[in-house]
Coordinates of all heavy atoms in Angstrom, one line a residue:
M23 N 36.0 24.4 6.8 CA 34.9 23.8 7.5 C 35.3 23.1 8.8 O 36.3 22.4 8.8 CB 34.2 22.8 6.5 CG 33.0 22.1 7.1 SD 31.7 23.4 7.5 CE 30.7 22.5 8.6
N24 N 34.7 23.4 9.8 CA 34.9 22.7 11.1 C 34.5 21.2 11.0 O 33.4 20.9 10.8 CB 34.1 23.4 12.2 CG 34.3 22.8 13.6 OD1 34.9 21.7 13.7 ND2 33.8 23.4 14.6
K25 N 35.5 20.3 11.1 CA 35.2 18.9 10.9 C 34.2 18.3 12.0 O 33.6 17.3 11.7 CB 36.5 18.1 10.9 CG 37.4 18.4 9.7 CD 38.3 17.3 9.5 CE 39.2 17.5 8.3 NZ 38.6 17.4 7.0
S26 N 34.0 19.0 13.1 CA 33.1 18.5 14.1 C 31.7 18.9 13.7 O 30.7 18.5 14.3 CB 33.4 19.1 15.4 OG 33.2 20.5 15.4
A27 N 31.5 19.7 12.6 CA 30.1 20.0 12.1 C 29.8 19.4 10.8 O 29.1 19.9 10.0 CB 30.0 21.6 12.0
T28 N 30.4 18.2 10.6 CA 30.1 17.5 9.3 C 28.9 16.5 9.6 O 28.5 16.3 10.7 CB 31.3 16.7 8.8 OG1 31.7 15.8 9.9 CG2 32.4 17.7 8.5
C29 N 28.4 15.9 8.5 CA 27.3 15.0 8.6 C 27.5 13.9 9.6 O 26.6 13.4 10.2 CB 27.0 14.4 7.2 SG 26.4 15.6 6.0
S30 N 28.8 13.4 9.7 CA 29.0 12.3 10.6 C 28.7 12.6 12.0 O 28.4 11.7 12.8 CB 30.5 11.9 10.5 OG 31.3 12.9 11.0
A31 N 28.6 13.9 12.4 CA 28.3 14.3 13.8 C 26.9 14.9 13.9 O 26.5 15.4 14.9 CB 29.4 15.3 14.3
C32 N 26.2 14.9 12.8 CA 24.8 15.5 12.8 C 23.7 14.5 13.2 O 23.8 13.4 12.9 CB 24.6 16.0 11.4 SG 23.0 16.8 11.2
V33 N 22.8 15.0 14.0 CA 21.7 14.2 14.4 C 20.8 13.7 13.3 O 20.2 12.6 13.4 CB 20.8 15.0 15.4 CG1 20.1 16.1 14.7 CG2 19.8 14.1 16.1
F34 N 20.9 14.3 12.1 CA 20.1 13.9 11.0 C 20.8 12.9 10.1 O 20.2 12.4 9.1 CB 19.6 15.1 10.2 CG 18.8 16.0 11.0 CD1 19.3 17.3 11.3 CD2 17.5 15.7 11.4 CE1 18.5 18.2 12.1 CE2 16.7 16.6 12.1 CZ 17.2 17.8 12.5
F35 N 22.0 12.5 10.4 CA 22.8 11.5 9.6 C 22.3 10.1 10.0 O 22.4 9.8 11.2 CB 24.3 11.7 9.8 CG 25.1 10.8 9.0 CD1 25.3 11.0 7.7 CD2 25.7 9.7 9.6 CE1 26.1 10.1 6.9 CE2 26.5 8.8 8.9 CZ 26.7 9.0 7.5
D36 N 21.9 9.3 9.1 CA 21.5 8.0 9.3 C 22.5 7.0 8.6 O 22.6 7.0 7.4 CB 20.1 7.8 8.8 CG 19.5 6.4 9.0 OD1 20.2 5.6 9.6 OD2 18.4 6.2 8.7
E37 N 23.1 6.2 9.4 CA 24.1 5.2 8.8 C 23.3 4.1 8.2 O 23.4 2.9 8.6 CB 25.0 4.7 9.9 CG 25.9 5.8 10.5 CD 26.7 5.3 11.7 OE1 26.5 4.1 12.0 OE2 27.5 6.0 12.2
H38 N 22.6 4.4 7.1 CA 21.8 3.4 6.4 C 22.6 3.0 5.2 O 22.2 3.4 4.0 CB 20.5 4.0 6.1 CG 19.4 3.0 5.8 ND1 19.3 2.4 4.5 CD2 18.5 2.5 6.5 CE1 18.3 1.6 4.5 NE2 17.8 1.6 5.7
S39 N 23.7 2.4 5.4 CA 24.7 2.1 4.3 C 24.1 1.3 3.1 O 24.6 1.3 2.0 CB 25.9 1.5 4.8 OG 25.6 0.3 5.4
R40 N 23.1 0.5 3.4 CA 22.5 -0.3 2.3 C 22.0 0.6 1.2 O 22.0 0.2 0.0 CB 21.3 -1.1 2.9 CG 20.8 -2.2 1.9 CD 19.6 -2.9 2.6 NE 18.5 -2.0 2.8 CZ 17.3 -2.4 3.3 NH1 17.1 -3.6 3.6 NH2 16.4 -1.5 3.5
N41 N 21.5 1.8 1.5 CA 21.0 2.7 0.4 C 22.0 3.7 0.0 O 21.7 4.6 -0.8 CB 19.8 3.4 1.0 CG 18.6 2.5 1.1 OD1 18.7 1.3 0.9 ND2 17.4 3.1 1.3
A42 N 23.2 3.6 0.5 CA 24.3 4.6 0.1 C 25.2 4.0 -0.9 O 25.3 2.8 -1.1 CB 25.0 5.0 1.4
A43 N 26.0 4.9 -1.5 CA 26.9 4.5 -2.6 C 28.1 3.8 -2.0 O 28.6 2.9 -2.5 CB 27.4 5.8 -3.3
A44 N 28.6 4.2 -0.8 CA 29.8 3.6 -0.2 C 29.4 3.3 1.3 O 28.5 3.9 1.8 CB 30.9 4.6 -0.2
P45 N 30.1 2.3 1.9 CA 29.7 1.8 3.2 C 29.7 2.9 4.3 O 29.0 2.9 5.2 CB 30.7 0.7 3.5 CG 31.2 0.3 2.2 CD 31.1 1.5 1.3
S46 N 30.6 3.9 4.1 CA 30.7 5.0 5.0 C 29.7 6.1 4.8 O 29.6 7.0 5.6 CB 32.1 5.5 5.0 OG 32.4 6.1 3.8
D47 N 29.0 6.1 3.7 CA 28.0 7.1 3.4 C 26.7 6.8 4.2 O 26.6 5.8 4.8 CB 27.6 7.1 1.9 CG 28.8 7.6 1.0 OD1 29.7 8.1 1.6 OD2 28.6 7.4 -0.2
G48 N 25.8 7.8 4.2 CA 24.6 7.6 4.9 C 23.5 8.4 4.3 O 23.6 9.0 3.2
L49 N 22.4 8.5 5.0 CA 21.2 9.3 4.5 C 21.0 10.5 5.4 O 21.2 10.4 6.6 CB 20.0 8.4 4.5 CG 20.0 7.1 3.8 CD1 18.7 6.3 3.9 CD2 20.4 7.3 2.3
C50 N 20.6 11.6 4.7 CA 20.2 12.8 5.5 C 18.7 12.7 5.7 O 17.9 12.7 4.8 CB 20.6 14.0 4.7 SG 20.0 15.5 5.5
R51 N 18.4 12.8 7.0 CA 16.9 12.7 7.4 C 16.4 14.0 7.8 O 15.3 14.1 8.4 CB 16.8 11.7 8.6 CG 17.3 10.3 8.4 CD 16.3 9.5 7.6 NE 16.7 8.1 7.6 CZ 15.9 7.2 6.9 NH1 14.9 7.5 6.3 NH2 16.3 6.0 7.0
Y52 N 17.0 15.1 7.4 CA 16.5 16.4 7.8 C 15.1 16.7 7.2 O 14.2 17.2 7.9 CB 17.5 17.5 7.3 CG 17.0 18.9 7.7 CD1 17.2 19.4 9.0 CD2 16.3 19.7 6.8 CE1 16.8 20.6 9.4 CE2 15.9 21.0 7.2 CZ 16.1 21.4 8.5 OH 15.7 22.6 8.9
N53 N 14.9 16.4 5.9 CA 13.7 16.6 5.3 C 13.0 15.3 5.0 O 13.6 14.2 5.0 CB 13.9 17.3 3.9 CG 14.2 18.8 4.1 OD1 13.5 19.5 4.8 ND2 15.3 19.2 3.5
P54 N 11.7 15.3 4.7 CA 11.0 14.0 4.4 C 11.5 13.5 3.1 O 12.2 14.3 2.3 CB 9.5 14.5 4.2 CG 9.4 15.8 4.8 CD 10.8 16.4 4.8
P55 N 11.3 12.2 2.8 CA 11.8 11.7 1.5 C 11.1 12.4 0.3 O 10.0 12.9 0.5 CB 11.4 10.2 1.6 CG 10.4 10.1 2.6 CD 10.6 11.2 3.6
V56 N 11.7 12.4 -0.8 CA 11.2 13.1 -2.0 C 11.2 12.1 -3.2 O 11.7 11.0 -3.1 CB 12.1 14.3 -2.3 CG1 12.1 15.3 -1.2 CG2 13.5 13.8 -2.6
S57 N 10.6 12.6 -4.3 CA 10.6 11.9 -5.5 C 10.1 10.5 -5.5 O 10.8 9.5 -5.7 CB 12.0 11.9 -6.2 OG 12.5 13.2 -6.3
Q58 N 8.8 10.3 -5.0 CA 8.2 9.0 -5.0 C 7.5 8.9 -6.3 O 6.4 9.4 -6.5 CB 7.2 8.9 -3.8 CG 6.7 7.5 -3.7 CD 6.0 7.4 -2.3 OE1 6.1 8.2 -1.5 NE2 5.2 6.4 -2.2
P59 N 8.1 8.1 -7.3 CA 7.5 8.1 -8.7 C 6.1 7.5 -8.7 O 5.3 8.0 -9.5 CB 8.5 7.2 -9.4 CG 9.7 7.2 -8.6 CD 9.3 7.4 -7.2
N60 N 5.8 6.6 -7.9 CA 4.4 6.0 -7.9 C 4.1 5.5 -6.5 O 5.0 5.4 -5.6 CB 4.2 5.0 -9.0 CG 5.2 3.8 -8.8 OD1 5.1 3.1 -7.8 ND2 6.0 3.5 -9.8
E61 N 2.9 5.0 -6.3 CA 2.5 4.6 -4.9 C 3.2 3.4 -4.4 O 3.1 3.1 -3.2 CB 0.9 4.4 -4.9 CG 0.4 3.3 -5.7 CD 0.2 3.6 -7.2 OE1 0.5 4.8 -7.6 OE2 -0.3 2.8 -7.9
T62 N 3.8 2.6 -5.3 CA 4.4 1.3 -4.8 C 6.0 1.5 -4.6 O 6.6 0.6 -4.1 CB 4.2 0.2 -5.8 OG1 4.7 0.6 -7.1 CG2 2.7 -0.1 -5.9
S63 N 6.5 2.6 -5.1 CA 7.9 2.8 -4.9 C 8.2 3.6 -3.6 O 7.3 4.2 -3.1 CB 8.5 3.6 -6.1 OG 7.9 4.9 -6.2
H64 N 9.5 3.5 -3.2 CA 9.9 4.2 -2.0 C 10.3 5.6 -2.3 O 10.8 5.9 -3.3 CB 11.0 3.4 -1.3 CG 10.7 2.1 -0.8 ND1 10.0 1.8 0.3 CD2 11.0 0.9 -1.4 CE1 9.8 0.5 0.4 NE2 10.4 -0.1 -0.6
G65 N 10.1 6.5 -1.3 CA 10.6 7.8 -1.4 C 12.1 7.8 -1.2 O 12.7 6.8 -0.7
L66 N 12.8 8.8 -1.7 CA 14.2 8.9 -1.7 C 14.7 9.9 -0.6 O 14.3 11.0 -0.6 CB 14.8 9.3 -3.1 CG 14.3 8.3 -4.2 CD1 14.8 8.9 -5.5 CD2 14.9 6.9 -4.0
W67 N 15.7 9.4 0.1 CA 16.4 10.3 1.1 C 17.8 10.7 0.5 O 18.4 9.8 -0.1 CB 16.7 9.6 2.4 CG 15.4 9.1 3.1 CD1 14.8 7.9 2.8 CD2 14.7 9.7 4.1 NE1 13.6 7.8 3.6 CE2 13.6 8.9 4.4 CE3 14.8 11.0 4.7 CZ2 12.6 9.3 5.3 CZ3 13.9 11.3 5.7 CH2 12.8 10.5 6.0
P68 N 18.2 11.9 0.6 CA 19.5 12.3 0.1 C 20.7 11.5 0.7 O 20.7 11.3 1.9 CB 19.7 13.8 0.4 CG 18.3 14.2 0.7 CD 17.5 13.0 1.3
V69 N 21.5 11.0 -0.2 CA 22.7 10.3 0.2 C 23.8 11.3 0.5 O 24.1 12.1 -0.4 CB 23.2 9.2 -0.8 CG1 24.5 8.6 -0.4 CG2 22.1 8.2 -1.0
V70 N 24.5 11.2 1.6 CA 25.6 12.2 2.0 C 26.8 11.3 2.5 O 26.6 10.2 3.0 CB 25.1 13.2 3.0 CG1 24.1 14.1 2.5 CG2 24.7 12.5 4.3
T71 N 27.9 11.9 2.3 CA 29.1 11.3 2.9 C 29.3 11.8 4.3 O 28.7 12.9 4.7 CB 30.4 11.6 2.1 OG1 30.7 13.0 2.3 CG2 30.2 11.4 0.6
Q72 N 30.1 11.2 5.1 CA 30.3 11.6 6.5 C 31.0 13.0 6.5 O 30.9 13.7 7.5 CB 31.1 10.6 7.2 CG 30.3 9.3 7.4 CD 31.0 8.3 8.4 OE1 31.7 8.7 9.3 NE2 30.7 7.0 8.2
A73 N 31.7 13.3 5.4 CA 32.5 14.6 5.4 C 31.6 15.7 4.8 O 32.1 16.9 4.8 CB 33.7 14.4 4.6
D74 N 30.4 15.4 4.4 CA 29.6 16.5 3.8 C 29.1 17.4 5.0 O 29.2 17.0 6.2 CB 28.3 15.9 3.1 CG 28.6 15.4 1.7 OD1 29.6 16.0 1.1 OD2 28.0 14.5 1.3
W75 N 28.5 18.5 4.7 CA 27.9 19.4 5.7 C 26.9 20.3 5.0 O 26.8 20.4 3.8 CB 29.0 20.2 6.3 CG 29.7 21.1 5.3 CD1 30.8 20.8 4.5 CD2 29.5 22.5 5.0 NE1 31.1 21.8 3.7 CE2 30.4 22.9 4.0 CE3 28.5 23.4 5.5 CZ2 30.4 24.2 3.5 CZ3 28.5 24.7 5.0 CH2 29.4 25.1 4.0
C76 N 26.1 20.9 5.8 CA 25.1 21.9 5.3 C 24.7 22.8 6.4 O 25.1 22.6 7.6 CB 23.9 21.2 4.7 SG 22.6 20.8 5.8
G77 N 23.9 23.8 6.1 CA 23.5 24.8 7.1 C 22.5 24.4 8.1 O 22.2 25.1 9.0
H78 N 22.0 23.1 7.9 CA 21.0 22.6 8.9 C 21.7 21.7 9.9 O 21.0 21.0 10.7 CB 19.9 21.8 8.2 CG 19.1 22.6 7.3 ND1 18.4 23.7 7.7 CD2 18.9 22.6 6.0 CE1 17.7 24.3 6.7 NE2 18.1 23.6 5.6
F79 N 23.0 21.6 10.0 CA 23.7 20.8 10.9 C 23.2 21.0 12.3 O 23.0 22.1 12.8 CB 25.3 21.1 10.9 CG 26.0 20.3 12.0 CD1 26.4 19.0 11.8 CD2 26.2 21.0 13.2 CE1 27.0 18.3 12.8 CE2 26.9 20.3 14.2 CZ 27.3 19.0 14.0
T80 N 22.9 19.9 13.0 CA 22.5 19.9 14.4 C 23.2 18.8 15.2 O 23.0 17.6 14.8 CB 21.0 19.7 14.4 OG1 20.3 20.6 13.6 CG2 20.4 19.8 15.9
A81 N 23.9 19.2 16.2 CA 24.6 18.2 17.0 C 23.7 17.7 18.2 O 23.9 16.6 18.7 CB 25.9 18.7 17.5
D82 N 22.8 18.6 18.6 CA 22.1 18.3 19.8 C 20.8 17.6 19.5 O 19.9 18.1 18.8 CB 21.7 19.7 20.5 CG 21.0 19.5 21.8 OD1 20.6 18.3 22.2 OD2 20.8 20.5 22.5
R83 N 20.6 16.4 20.0 CA 19.4 15.6 19.7 C 18.1 16.2 20.3 O 17.0 15.9 19.9 CB 19.5 14.2 20.3 CG 20.5 13.4 19.5 CD 20.5 11.9 19.8 NE 21.4 11.2 19.1 CZ 21.2 10.7 17.8 NH1 20.0 10.9 17.3 NH2 22.1 10.0 17.2
S84 N 18.2 17.2 21.2 CA 17.0 17.8 21.8 C 16.6 19.0 21.0 O 15.6 19.6 21.2 CB 17.2 18.2 23.2 OG 18.2 19.2 23.3
A85 N 17.4 19.4 20.0 CA 17.1 20.6 19.2 C 16.0 20.3 18.2 O 15.8 19.2 17.8 CB 18.3 21.1 18.5
Ligands
SF4_11 S1 23.2 17.3 5.0 FE1 23.0 18.8 6.8 S2 21.2 18.1 7.9 FE2 21.8 16.4 6.5 S3 23.1 15.1 7.8 FE3 24.5 16.5 6.7 S4 24.8 18.3 8.1 FE4 23.0 17.1 8.8

């Protein structure tokens, strides 16, 4: 895997470490949040590491 195409360089990576397992982890914002159990709970964003990657990687903020 090309290290320049990992989550850490993706436009959809959100350094929202408060909701992540480790301080260097973040949230993937590619899709809307999922699994909202009831109207008072928050939806969930997938937690990813900076070294993760997927086929939706986007480096360009205008894309
Ligand atoms: S999972 Fe994919 S879309 Fe989400 S931040 Fe990582 S590379 Fe980007």
Side-chain angles (χ1 to χ4, degrees):
M23 179 62 197
N24 180 350
K25 291 203 181 286
S26 65
T28 58
C29 292
S30 63
C32 179
V33 68
F34 298 111
F35 182 76
D36 182 358
E37 295 176 356
H38 200 277
S39 59
R40 189 180 65 176
N41 288 10
S46 61
D47 292 348
L49 304 178
C50 174
R51 301 283 191 179
Y52 181 81
N53 287 309
V56 296
S57 301
Q58 187 169 346
N60 60 60
E61 65 277 3
T62 59
S63 62
H64 295 285
L66 302 174
W67 301 85
V69 175
V70 294
T71 72
Q72 293 192 27
D74 280 333
W75 61 277
C76 86
H78 296 299
F79 172 83
T80 304
D82 184 352
R83 289 193 179 273
S84 64

